[in-house]
Amino acid sequence: MHADDAAVREILTGLGGTWAVVGLSGNASRAAYGVAAVLQRYGKRVVPVHPKAETVHGEQGYASLADIPFPVDVVDVFVNSDLAGPVADEAVAIGAKAVWYQLGVIDEDAYRRTRDAGLLMVMDRCPAIEIPRLG
């Protein structure tokens, strides 16, 4: 089990509204683009994190989590599983409250490290699927 429903609910409703979306670019055909739009519709501030540092959905992008000059509540991860562990470690380093690995993104070691650091974590689920269920 990569997250219980209580953790999903807490991340989506209780942690604050600033979500750094790692892997979000201006490419509208990518899943991250659509998920970010759903998060915005539910009142989340979406911060694109991508090497191109593009502005997406009206929000300034940043090349890395460390470049974001304000607090981030949740780091939503749209990278391959083999790249996801370092992103979770960066989320811990910047003081995020939670890490969310998207569908298909799984790293058990990163999950343990992140939870041991005191953050909530969800793996292999999509907030755009989960958030409407909370209503």
Side-chain angles (χ1 to χ4, degrees):
M1 185 65 132
H2 298 124
D4 58 37
D5 289 337
V8 168
R9 180 174 293 279
E10 178 65 16
I11 292 170
L12 291 171
T13 65
L15 288 186
T18 302
W19 286 55
V21 182
V22 178
L24 175 57
S25 71
N27 184 343
S29 68
R30 304 287 299 179
Y33 191 90
V35 170
V38 170
L39 290 169
Q40 281 187 323
R41 281 198 301 275
Y42 280 89
K44 307 299 183 192
R45 179 181 185 189
V46 171
V47 181
V49 179
H50 189 278
K52 294 180 182 177
E54 297 175 280
T55 296
V56 182
H57 296 307
E59 288 286 346
Q60 169 65 47
Y62 297 90
S64 72
L65 290 173
D67 291 340
I68 300 172
F70 47 82
V72 169
D73 299 305
V74 182
V75 175
D76 189 6
V77 182
F78 280 91
V79 300
N80 292 331
S81 295
D82 59 339
L83 303 174
V87 176
D89 297 335
E90 290 173 38
V92 171
I94 67 163
K97 299 172 187 170
V99 175
W100 190 300
Y101 279 4
Q102 284 294 324
L103 292 171
V105 181
I106 299 171
D107 183 329
E108 299 292 347
D109 291 335
Y111 183 84
R112 280 190 292 281
R113 286 194 312 272
T114 304
R115 298 288 294 147
D116 288 349
L119 281 70
L120 291 173
M121 186 162 184
V122 172
M123 283 197 310
D124 196 27
R125 289 173 83 168
C126 179
I129 294 170
E130 302 298 333
I131 202 166
R133 294 178 181 173
L134 299 177

